[in-house]
Amino acid sequence: MIRRSILKALAFSAISLPMLMTTPAVQAQDAQTVDIGVLLSMTGSLGRGGNNVVLGMQTALEEVNALSPSRQFRLVIEDDESSPQAAMDGIRKLVDVDKVPVVLGTVGSATTIPTASYSLSKNIPHVGLTASSPDVRSLGKGYFSIIATDEVMGAALAKFAMEDTGKKKVGIIVANDAYGVGLARRMQEAVAANGGEVVSEVRYEAGQPDYRAELQRLFSPKPEIVLAVSWGDNARLLTKQAYEMGLMQTVQGAWYQPYPAEIVNACIAEACEDVKGLDIAADRGERFQQLRTSLETRVGSDVVIDWFIGVGYDAVWVTALAVDLANSAEPAAISAALPKAFEIYRGVSDADMSVDADGIQHNQEYGSFVIKAGKLEPYTAH
């Protein structure tokens, strides 16, 4: 049997983990192996995020297995290739061929919703990772989410920007998809609730070769704040062209982005200087410090812990804790234990990981960050 008292203690605090891990645990010959199904974008447009999630998962896996000689966990990973069709192929393999008792995935709402629907149709619990669309609430019993939905982020980002600048005229630019439009709706509501005015809202198509027309529409009413939803190559081109057109300079220090860790590596440094935002896995708490220590051992001292790493780390710990609480690797038992595991676990992506009646994390606290000289730094709002 897994050393349940140790895992429970570590769910609350990481203080004792380094001491416990100084001597590697010896796996018992009759150890139970529990497979954890993982569906992630390892390649394609979302590959960077997916690979960082796996890095966090592997780090947590080493910690958990070092503490549980009689029950070892193993990740069974399928690459969804950032493609809806490949995602469905992957979930069918995990559920029908590999027979995993629980699935963690994916890194986008567009793939999480159909793949989780398939898992749940086969009575396999599904833990969502970075899917933030409010539509995940419709998935029902057996679905759980590591992060809060866009309802929380959209409102928090708008409030943060207005309080940080003391300004009221807001421009919004988002991708024309469920993620972007959903965030825009929450931002609009929050701007109004905080006494502000949305003077422009622009939607762009991801993958365009030129965004100058959209940027002209965004800046034409002279917003004092810009709330932008972008990532990867889209973020690079949007900020680059806004800078080249002299528009970024008109809102220097007042361009705000949800999850800025998604854009910092894509941006040209001067174009993204002083871009601010809210992100998960803020530099706080004992669990975060333990993750940093573990990662520095694995990949070096210059590691940047983004929200993908934190989410992956927390997902494996919560799942292992649920198996421990249930003392079973049966899907129904894991599903029944997951709410309690979320309740008692103190995580990296948030200290309070408890979920609501829909299985969704609902107490999300964000850290504030700013991009300086091409690097993401903690930021204290004015």
Side-chain angles (χ1 to χ4, degrees):
M1 180 183 296
I2 197 169
R3 284 187 282 172
R4 299 174 67 190
S5 61
I6 292 177
L7 277 183
K8 287 180 181 178
L10 289 174
F12 289 99
S13 172
I15 292 175
S16 57
L17 186 54
M19 177 181 67
L20 289 167
M21 291 186 67
T22 54
T23 303
V26 178
Q27 185 174 342
Q29 290 185 350
D30 59 348
Q32 177 190 28
T33 298
V34 179
D35 286 339
I36 299 175
V38 177
L39 183 64
L40 283 170
S41 301
M42 306 299 293
T43 56
S45 61
L46 300 175
R48 188 195 71 82
N51 280 278
N52 277 5
V53 171
V54 169
L55 177 59
M57 287 181 169
Q58 291 170 334
T59 303
L61 190 74
E62 288 182 359
E63 294 176 357
V64 170
N65 282 342
L67 298 169
S68 55
S70 59
R71 179 182 286 141
Q72 295 284 284
F73 293 86
R74 179 174 61 187
L75 302 180
V76 181
I77 302 174
E78 286 293 318
D79 178 12
D80 69 23
E81 303 172 11
S82 305
S83 159
Q85 183 56 56
M88 290 308 301
D89 293 341
I91 195 64
R92 291 187 183 100
K93 181 177 182 297
L94 288 171
V95 171
D96 299 332
V97 178
D98 298 316
K99 305 292 186 183
V100 298
V102 59
V103 174
L104 314 182
T106 61
V107 295
S109 300
T111 50
T112 296
I113 292 172
T115 55
S117 295
Y118 188 82
S119 300
L120 298 175
S121 74
K122 299 300 182 78
N123 299 313
I124 302 299
H126 196 114
V127 178
L129 299 172
T130 66
S132 57
S133 168
D135 292 342
V136 298
R137 290 190 177 277
S138 66
L139 287 167
K141 184 178 179 181
Y143 179 80
F144 303 89
S145 179
I146 292 289
I147 68 168
T149 66
D150 297 333
E151 299 161 301
V152 180
M153 171 56 89
L157 185 70
K159 182 180 180 182
F160 166 58
M162 294 176 69
E163 290 180 348
D164 185 45
T165 62
K167 297 176 180 178
K168 302 290 187 181
K169 295 174 63 177
V170 179
I172 296 174
I173 183 166
V174 301
N176 188 25
D177 58 19
Y179 171 58
V181 173
L183 271 170
R185 183 168 60 250
R186 299 303 175 185
M187 290 172 181
Q188 291 169 347
E189 293 170 355
V191 169
N194 286 277
E197 176 189 5
V198 175
V199 296
S200 59
E201 184 196 336
V202 177
R203 300 178 185 181
Y204 66 87
E205 299 298 330
Q208 286 181 211
D210 192 316
Y211 291 117
R212 283 174 290 192
E214 287 83 356
L215 288 166
Q216 288 283 14
R217 295 202 305 274
L218 174 68
F219 280 93
S220 179
K222 295 183 170 49
E224 300 167 315
I225 298 168
V226 168
L227 305 179
V229 178
S230 61
W231 60 92
D233 291 341
N234 298 315
R236 179 183 178 87
L237 187 56
L238 274 169
T239 53
K240 176 177 180 288
Q241 291 188 327
Y243 181 78
E244 291 172 345
M245 296 166 72
L247 300 174
M248 181 68 83
Q249 293 86 329
T250 68
V251 289
Q252 186 78 27
W255 180 293
Y256 294 83
Q257 165 88 29
Y259 312 116
E262 290 187 349
I263 74 167
V264 65
N265 293 322
C267 281
I268 297 170
E270 58 267 27
C272 285
E273 184 72 8
D274 291 326
V275 168
K276 300 169 188 170
L278 299 178
D279 217 323
I280 297 170
D283 189 355
R284 58 174 181 256
E286 294 165 355
R287 182 70 69 183
F288 183 95
Q289 297 307 321
Q290 173 53 43
L291 173 56
R292 180 183 294 283
T293 299
S294 296
L295 279 173
E296 287 178 350
T297 300
R298 287 177 61 91
V299 299
S301 60
D302 60 346
V303 62
V304 176
I305 300 176
D306 64 14
W307 72 301
F308 293 107
I309 294 174
V311 163
Y313 180 86
D314 286 341
V316 167
W317 259 106
V318 166
T319 303
L321 182 57
V323 174
D324 175 45
L325 291 168
N327 195 26
S328 171
E330 291 299 315
I334 296 172
S335 184
L338 273 165
K340 186 64 176 179
F342 273 98
E343 179 185 341
I344 67 175
Y345 177 70
R346 296 295 176 260
V348 172
S349 48
D350 210 341
D352 183 354
M353 298 285 292
S354 58
V355 296
D356 61 20
D358 295 326
I360 309 300
Q361 215 271 51
H362 64 114
N363 292 308
Q364 192 83 63
E365 292 185 8
Y366 301 102
S368 52
F369 295 85
V370 62
I371 297 176
K372 289 285 189 182
K375 294 185 178 181
L376 197 63
E377 299 179 358
Y379 173 75
T380 301
H382 296 151

